[in-house]
Amino acid sequence: MSQPHITLKASLLLTLPPLLWACNAVLGRVIAELVSPITLNLLRWSIAFVLLLPLAAPVLHRSSLLWPNWRRFMGLSLLSIGGYNALLYLALNTSTPINVTLVGAVTPVWMLLIGRLFFGKAILQRQWLGAAMSISGVLLVLSRGQLDVLLQVRLVPGDVYILLASAAWAYYSWMLVHPTSEPSSIRTNWSAFLMAQISFGLIWSGLFAAGEWSLGFGHLTPSWKLAAALLFIAIGPALLAYRSWGAGVAQAGPSAAGFFINLTPLFTAVLSGFFLGEIPHAYHALAFALIVGGIVVSSRRRPGPITAL
């Protein structure tokens, strides 16, 4: 089977989510004192549900084909809207941002391994090379071009959360394209497909948020600042990012798409630097070249047979 080829359109679709998720990370730090992380996740998806309702209300009707396939959507929403986000926020609460980003850089490897173990997808040698290049770019950003910074990193038990989150996102991405058991009336309608995931995702998010409050970790301070942030998070990192990611994965395939995740720490570093008034450095450009190079190497077509592991 030929490998997916990343077109310009697919590249743009897969680049937008990391940019929006980087904005989400920067904004999340700004409003951390106003709302606890898992409650934030529940609120943003609740707003996204309301915003999407005018477009996708029919999918929730009792006669909709959504309900015979509820197990499928419960699984998709657990891995993404509920599980991934909950684990990510927990990781940020129990580990340092540099550790979380560093451990999260293994996402392309998770994509390759899960595709091989659960979906029978061979791993090409160039994909391993691309993964190494991409992760090197992330390490360059995190170290700020200085090896001593990386040598000071110490992993803690909380980093297990981001490992699980990365694995959940990888499995979710593979489920988007294989097996595609959703009815075509839902699958081909992006708003209906996303609404189906959000609807079940709110169940998971609500359960996790209830646990957060019952354990005494929940807090919420209403303000216009929080309201504006929630509206942006619901429209950008939630609706637009998930829509764009699903369309990009469908075109490029999960293995190739996984490499774009590593643009997130690069965008985060640049955005953080911008808001702090710092000028991007030369290592940002080199890191970008490594990450993009990893994407190109892993997905390019080559004539003749290619050894697979």
Side-chain angles (χ1 to χ4, degrees):
M1 181 181 298
S2 61
Q3 295 297 307
H5 181 63
I6 299 182
T7 63
L8 177 59
K9 180 180 179 181
S11 297
L12 294 175
L13 287 171
L14 292 170
T15 299
L16 180 60
L19 176 59
L20 291 171
W21 292 330
C23 293
N24 181 46
V26 173
L27 188 58
R29 287 195 290 270
V30 174
I31 62 173
E33 61 183 17
L34 300 178
V35 59
S36 51
I38 299 182
T39 299
L40 171 61
N41 187 52
L42 174 62
L43 290 174
R44 77 164 181 164
W45 285 111
S46 297
I47 296 173
F49 177 90
V50 173
L51 293 175
L52 197 58
L53 196 58
L55 292 176
V59 78
L60 301 177
H61 194 273
R62 67 174 59 185
S63 62
S64 170
L65 293 177
L66 167 66
W67 307 114
N69 294 274
W70 69 270
R71 291 182 179 84
R72 165 80 168 171
F73 288 101
M74 281 290 283
L76 284 171
S77 62
L78 171 61
L79 291 170
S80 58
I81 294 171
Y84 170 77
N85 287 286
L87 288 167
L88 178 62
Y89 291 138
L90 282 172
L92 289 170
N93 270 2
T94 56
S95 184
T96 63
I98 190 169
N99 276 30
V100 167
T101 312
L102 175 60
V103 178
V106 304
T107 298
V109 177
W110 275 124
M111 290 285 192
L112 297 177
L113 292 178
I114 287 176
R116 182 70 182 94
L117 294 175
F118 297 100
F119 297 92
K121 191 70 171 179
I123 304 176
L124 305 177
Q125 289 181 346
R126 67 171 182 267
Q127 290 177 315
W128 284 123
L129 176 59
M133 293 176 63
S134 183
I135 292 175
S136 296
V138 173
L139 295 178
L140 188 60
V141 171
L142 295 178
S143 67
R144 300 190 296 275
Q146 301 176 28
L147 180 61
D148 291 345
V149 174
L150 280 183
L151 295 178
Q152 295 172 6
V153 172
R154 296 293 182 270
L155 298 180
V156 298
D159 296 321
V160 174
Y161 290 132
I162 193 61
L163 276 175
L164 294 175
S166 300
W169 187 257
Y171 201 98
Y172 164 77
S173 297
W174 276 105
M175 284 187 67
L176 287 178
V177 297
H178 180 81
T180 53
S181 60
E182 303 88 2
S184 59
S185 59
I186 296 178
R187 181 71 185 190
T188 58
N189 185 330
W190 76 267
S191 60
F193 187 63
L194 184 54
M195 175 60 85
Q197 296 180 67
I198 293 176
S199 300
F200 289 104
L202 287 177
I203 297 175
W204 295 113
S205 299
L207 289 173
F208 296 143
E212 181 181 56
W213 283 85
S214 65
L215 293 173
F217 297 116
H219 68 271
L220 176 65
T221 305
S223 68
W224 287 111
K225 177 182 178 181
L226 177 60
L230 284 171
L231 184 60
F232 171 80
I233 292 172
I235 294 175
L239 292 179
L240 292 181
Y242 270 69
R243 159 59 175 159
S244 184
W245 182 259
V249 169
Q251 292 191 29
S255 295
F259 290 89
F260 284 83
I261 291 289
N262 280 351
L263 288 171
T264 303
L266 176 64
F267 288 146
T268 301
V270 173
L271 288 172
S272 298
F274 175 80
F275 286 110
L276 292 174
E278 298 176 356
I279 300 175
H281 298 282
Y283 65 80
H284 286 118
L286 179 57
F288 180 78
L290 283 170
I291 294 172
V292 172
I295 295 170
V296 172
V297 168
S298 66
S299 61
R300 65 191 176 94
R301 294 181 184 273
R302 291 177 58 184
I306 302 174
T307 303
L309 301 181

